[in-house]
Amino acid sequence: MARARLSRTPRDDPPAAGPGATEVDWDGLRARMRGPLLRPGDPAFDDARKLFNPLNDDHVPAAVAQCASVEDVREGVLAAANRVPLAARSGGHSYVGYSAPDGGLVLDLRRLSAVTVPSDGTATVGAGATLRDVYTGLSQAGRALPGGSCFTVGIAGVTLGGGIGVLQRKFGLTCDHLVSADVVTADGRTLTATASATPDLFWALRGGGGGNFAVVTRFTFATAPAPALTIFSLAFPAGKVTKVLTAWQPWITAAPRELWANLNISSGSTPGCRVSGCFVGPSGACNPLLNDLVARCGVSPTTRKVEDRSYFDAMRFFSGTPGRQAFVASSRVLSAPATNPGRVVDLLTGSTGVSLILDALGGAVADVGVQQTAFPHRTAFATAQIYAGATTASEAVVTRRVGKVVTGLADLGIGGGYVNYIDPALPDWAACYYGPNLARLRCVAHDYDPDRVFDFAQSLWRA
């Protein structure tokens, strides 16, 4: 189910370039750009083309445009449109490598990464900024924005897919804080998308997924004062996952919105688990909530870590291991707590190397209507990421392991999916990712990209 190797399997191929179409004038594009245009054979090309996941190293674009200005982005769009595949790259974390199209043009936005926080508390963020860039710039100004965890993920992908993260129950999704987005459209226009000026496009950019509609070059966000936070992690002994999951579900449902927690179940002959999370407030107020979870479980954790942290240091705690990582992953969405936790645990029993990560929604996420933004999972209980490390040699085996869990969750009535964990093999992926918002999203894609300039294997043109 998870991570089919890239091929144009969903729907049909895009139409061929129209009459009179020509090959891309790479020399001309290079001459018009401020930033470098790298082609195969150039010394820096091989590093520039690679994404976060080494399993995507077999993707070889025709060129990487390291855009140094909005005009560079515009020139790249106009040069490549309907001639070769075209994709923007921010952090390069597309799970299956859509931001490095074979034989296409990569618009590398990482030079457009400035973060500015004026006195009104808004933040302007270049679309090439990573979460490390964003959290650093905001914390220096005493401000905060809810977002993802991995520091090398790009703010663009996070926002355009919705933006789940460790502060979401208190502050909502990243896209809920979007004020405006500067974009380059498929026909080379530059415009600022806002709720009043371009309501359909602005709506679609908040959860409609990266790679669709237009290339965003800069975001403006509303931010909040940076709070003091508590981070925590409780590891439980192997063999107790069913008890912990049974207790964790009503515990996090009833918890105040200041508390966010996930449950990470690790596969094995006897699966184990840990509960990690973040509390907006001091550890003295967080510890009684954690004591309640332990009491509900009836299981003492083998380790318990609870620390007061600043906003930036708390985000760094969740940032994971730096450097590129090879993995296979997919997702599901729990519309409600699992009714049979033991059967969920059974899906991980006897396997190796697979994690099922349940991230609690609720709180401020549900304050926004299902169709108020393009992100459709507002009333869901939690997202589920199915994740496993892999190598090129083990990819096929690992893919089957991940797919078995994905299918097993569906058999338990757990459907849906999160577009930022995109998976070309997820059955009925468009409905899973977009739900009741799919029809409107298709219309926005048609209106802003009628010639399918931004088409790819799971674009809205294929939905």
Side-chain angles (χ1 to χ4, degrees):
M1 246 15 105
R3 196 183 168 77
R5 295 306 291 160
L6 276 188
S7 61
R8 293 191 178 274
T9 49
R11 305 292 173 177
D12 56 337
D13 280 334
T22 59
E23 295 296 322
V24 177
D25 178 7
W26 298 116
D27 290 337
L29 177 58
R30 179 182 279 119
R32 294 190 298 273
M33 286 185 55
R34 283 178 51 196
L37 180 73
L38 303 176
R39 304 282 324 277
D42 291 341
F45 174 80
D46 200 49
D47 286 338
R49 72 173 179 84
K50 290 179 179 177
L51 303 179
F52 177 76
N53 189 340
L55 296 184
N56 295 318
D57 282 356
D58 58 346
H59 296 206
V60 182
V64 176
Q66 295 183 322
C67 301
S69 66
V70 173
E71 186 60 25
D72 280 358
V73 176
R74 180 178 179 275
E75 290 289 354
V77 170
L78 292 175
N82 296 124
R83 295 181 177 89
V84 295
L86 177 65
R89 169 188 174 150
S90 180
H93 280 252
S94 172
Y95 273 24
V96 289
Y98 290 141
S99 51
D102 270 323
L105 175 62
V106 176
L107 298 174
D108 188 330
L109 305 177
R110 287 176 292 178
R111 296 185 176 211
L112 304 178
S113 60
V115 177
T116 305
V117 185
S119 59
D120 65 0
T122 61
T124 59
V125 181
T130 64
L131 292 182
R132 176 186 286 275
D133 297 328
V134 174
Y135 295 150
T136 299
L138 289 177
S139 64
Q140 289 173 349
R143 308 297 294 183
L145 178 73
S149 53
C150 179
F151 266 19
T152 57
V153 164
I155 187 63
V158 170
T159 305
L160 298 174
I164 64 174
V166 303
L167 296 178
Q168 64 191 13
R169 285 172 51 84
K170 174 64 175 179
F171 296 106
L173 304 177
T174 310
C175 72
D176 297 336
H177 293 255
L178 187 64
V179 174
S180 66
D182 295 343
V183 307
V184 176
T185 62
D187 57 0
R189 289 178 296 143
T190 57
L191 58 86
T192 298
T194 66
S196 58
T198 57
D200 286 339
L201 178 59
F202 184 71
W203 172 86
L205 292 175
R206 292 177 293 160
N212 295 302
F213 318 115
V215 178
V216 179
T217 58
R218 186 173 66 173
F219 299 91
T220 299
F221 295 103
T223 67
L229 300 170
T230 301
I231 58 91
F232 58 86
S233 181
L234 287 72
F236 291 88
K240 304 298 182 182
V241 180
T242 299
K243 283 189 174 183
V244 177
L245 177 56
T246 298
W248 177 80
Q249 292 187 129
W251 172 77
I252 194 61
T253 300
R257 60 178 55 197
E258 286 76 16
L259 180 73
W260 172 88
N262 69 8
L263 176 62
N264 188 327
I265 305 172
S266 301
S267 67
S269 57
T270 305
C273 70
R274 69 178 183 271
V275 173
S276 300
C278 187
F279 178 73
V280 182
S283 58
C286 179
N287 270 311
L289 298 170
L290 301 181
N291 294 340
D292 179 45
L293 171 63
V294 173
R296 289 173 184 250
C297 293
V299 178
S300 297
T302 55
T303 62
R304 174 170 171 161
K305 178 177 183 175
V306 184
E307 293 183 359
D308 293 284
R309 296 255 182 135
S310 67
Y311 166 68
F312 181 82
D313 284 342
M315 297 304 101
R316 183 166 53 188
F317 172 77
F318 294 103
S319 65
T321 304
R324 302 174 75 211
Q325 297 176 32
F327 65 91
V328 172
S330 189
S331 67
R332 288 293 185 185
V333 176
L334 285 73
S335 58
T339 57
N340 194 329
R343 291 183 65 189
V344 174
V345 179
D346 288 344
L347 298 175
L348 283 297
T349 303
S351 184
T352 57
V354 180
S355 294
L356 173 62
I357 306 165
L358 304 178
D359 291 321
L361 296 171
V365 177
D367 290 345
V368 179
V370 170
Q371 295 184 286
Q372 194 171 337
T373 69
F375 180 86
H377 307 301
R378 296 289 181 173
T379 61
F381 165 66
T383 57
Q385 180 172 197
I386 307 92
Y387 181 100
T391 64
T392 302
S394 69
E395 181 181 3
V397 172
V398 173
T399 294
R400 287 194 292 271
R401 291 175 185 163
V402 170
K404 183 178 179 181
V405 178
V406 174
T407 300
L409 291 173
D411 291 342
L412 295 177
I414 299 171
Y418 179 40
V419 70
N420 278 353
Y421 303 151
I422 201 162
D423 174 5
L426 186 69
D428 200 16
W429 55 267
C432 288
Y433 295 144
Y434 303 121
N437 296 328
L438 177 57
R440 185 178 176 188
L441 284 167
R442 284 180 178 140
C443 290
V444 178
H446 184 274
D447 288 345
Y448 281 89
D449 184 18
D451 296 323
R452 298 175 67 164
V453 169
F454 300 121
D455 186 40
F456 61 98
Q458 284 181 280
S459 75
L460 283 161
W461 276 108
R462 313 292 186 97

